[in-house]
Amino acid sequence: MTLNPYACMPEQSRGRQFDEQGSLHRSHFQRDRDRIIHSTAFRRLKHKTQVFVAHEGDHFRTRLTHTIEVAQVARTIAKALGLNAELTETVALAHDLGHPPFGHVGEDVLAEEMAEFGGFDHNAQAVKIVTQLERNYADFDGLNLTWESLEGIAKHNGPVTGDVPYALAQFNAEYDLDLGTFASAEAQVAALSDDIAYNNHDLDDGLRSDFFSLDELIELPILTDCVKEVDHRYPDLDPRKRRHEALRRVFGVMVEDVISESHLRLDGKRSVDDIRGANVQSVAFSDALLDKLNVIRGFLYENMYRHDQVIETRETCKKILHGLFNAYLNEPNLLPDAWQIDTTTDTARARQICDYLSGMTDLYAEKQYSALGLDGSVAT
C-alpha cells in the first residue's frame, strides 16, 4: 500500500534515545509495537478497570480489551487515510499503559494526592513506563521506542501546554518531544479511535448491566436511525442481536465520519511537519457528528457514570487508593524491597509511591489494602 506524503515513514524516523542495531525483518514501528505487546505493563491491563471493576462481570470491558478494540479501529482508519498503520497501532496499544487501577477514579485520586508533588496524568505516566519503569533490557531502562512512538503516546490528545506533569517534563528535558505541537496524524487516529471505542462499548456495557434499555437509546441522535434500520431489516429480531446490530451500525457511523472529515482536513498537507504545525487537529469528527456524540456522552454521564452502583463502587475504590498512598507515604518501609528508595524528601517518596500504585491492577490494589489491614482486618 502506498502511503500519503504526510504519513510517518519508518526509514525517516528521528531514531531512538539509545542507538540500536535495526531488525532484519521488522520496521522501526513494528518493533515498537511488538515491545509494547511484550511489556509487563501491557499484560497488567487485563486486570485494570475500564468502568466496571474486575469482579463485576466477565463480559464487561477491561483496559486490555478496550485497548485491543482501539487498535482494531485505528488500523482501519489509518489504512483508509493512507497513514502508517504500524505506528498508529503502536500508539493505540500504548495509550492506556499509564492508567492506574479502578478506571478514571484511580487517576482522580492520584492527581489529588500528587497535586503538591508535580501532578499526575496517565499519558505522562505512560511515557515514564516505556522510558524508565519497564526494566527488562540489558542496555537500557524502558523500551527504547522511536521518537515518533513516544511523541504519539505523549501528545495523541493534542499539544501539551501549561503545567507539564513532572513525569513527562523530566523526560522531555532529556529528549525533546516538541510538546507544543500536534502529534502525527497516526497518533491523532489513535486518539479518535479511543473515543469511538469507548463511546460504543460504554453503550454496550450499560445495556448489558441494565442501566438503561435500547428503547431508551432510540431517542438519542445516531441511535435513532441505526435502530430503525435494524428494525426495518430484521423485524422481531432477538433482543441481544437487535442490540448488537444497532451498536455495530453506530460504530460504523463514527468511523466513516472520521474518515470523511479527516480526508477534507488532510487535503493539501504535504508532510508530517504540515500535520504537526497545523492550527487544528488533522484527524477529527465533523462538527455535526461531534454535537450528536456530546448528547450521547451526556446520556452516559447521567445514566451510567453517575449510576448509584457505579458511584458506590467509585467511593470504595477511592478509599482503597487514598488509604494505600497515605500508608506508604507515612511508613515507606511498607513498600516492597524493590520499591524502597534512599530519600528524606516527601516529593521523591510520593513519586515513587505514585509509580508503584499506578502500576497496580484492581485485584492487586484490593489485596494490598487488605494485607496492610487498612480494611479493618488483621494485617498479615
Side-chain angles (χ1 to χ4, degrees), residues 1-146:
M1 175 181 175
T2 302
L3 301 184
N4 279 313
Y6 43 74
C8 285
M9 309 296 181
E11 62 274 13
Q12 297 174 4
S13 169
R14 299 192 192 185
R16 303 179 187 274
Q17 186 180 15
F18 304 101
D19 290 337
E20 286 187 71
Q21 184 175 354
S23 171
L24 292 176
H25 306 293
R26 295 175 296 167
S27 75
H28 296 308
F29 301 147
Q30 283 180 291
R31 206 174 188 191
D32 284 357
R33 178 198 61 198
D34 296 347
R35 288 183 177 184
I36 294 294
I37 291 172
H38 288 282
S39 69
T40 304
F42 186 77
R43 291 194 296 274
R44 284 198 297 259
L45 294 178
K46 69 178 180 178
H47 291 307
K48 288 195 176 189
T49 290
Q50 187 65 25
V51 174
F52 298 92
V53 295
H55 58 72
E56 291 184 299
D58 291 338
H59 294 164
F60 295 121
R61 269 71 173 188
T62 65
R63 285 282 174 203
L64 181 59
T65 60
H66 163 71
T67 295
I68 293 170
E69 291 180 16
V70 173
Q72 177 270 311
V73 177
R75 287 193 304 270
T76 299
I77 297 175
K79 290 180 179 180
L81 296 177
L83 300 173
N84 190 300
E86 293 162 358
L87 176 59
T88 306
E89 186 176 19
T90 298
V91 178
L93 290 170
H95 86 281
D96 268 356
L97 291 182
H99 264 295
F102 306 129
H104 290 289
V105 67
E107 183 165 12
D108 292 342
V109 169
L110 290 186
E112 181 180 338
E113 293 288 4
M114 293 297 295
E116 60 181 292
F117 303 118
F120 178 82
D121 172 82
H122 77 269
N123 290 332
Q125 191 66 22
V127 171
K128 188 170 187 179
I129 287 169
V130 301
T131 60
Q132 181 180 338
L133 297 180
E134 285 282 327
R135 292 170 180 156
N136 295 311
Y137 294 87
D139 294 325
F140 47 79
D141 285 337
L143 304 180
N144 199 30
L145 303 179
T146 61

Side-chain angles (χ1 to χ4, degrees), residues 287-304:
D287 290 341
L289 190 80
L290 188 58
D291 288 341
K292 295 176 181 179
L293 290 178
N294 286 334
V295 175
I296 293 174
R297 289 167 181 160
F299 177 89
L300 286 170
Y301 181 82
E302 292 298 329
N303 295 278
M304 184 171 176

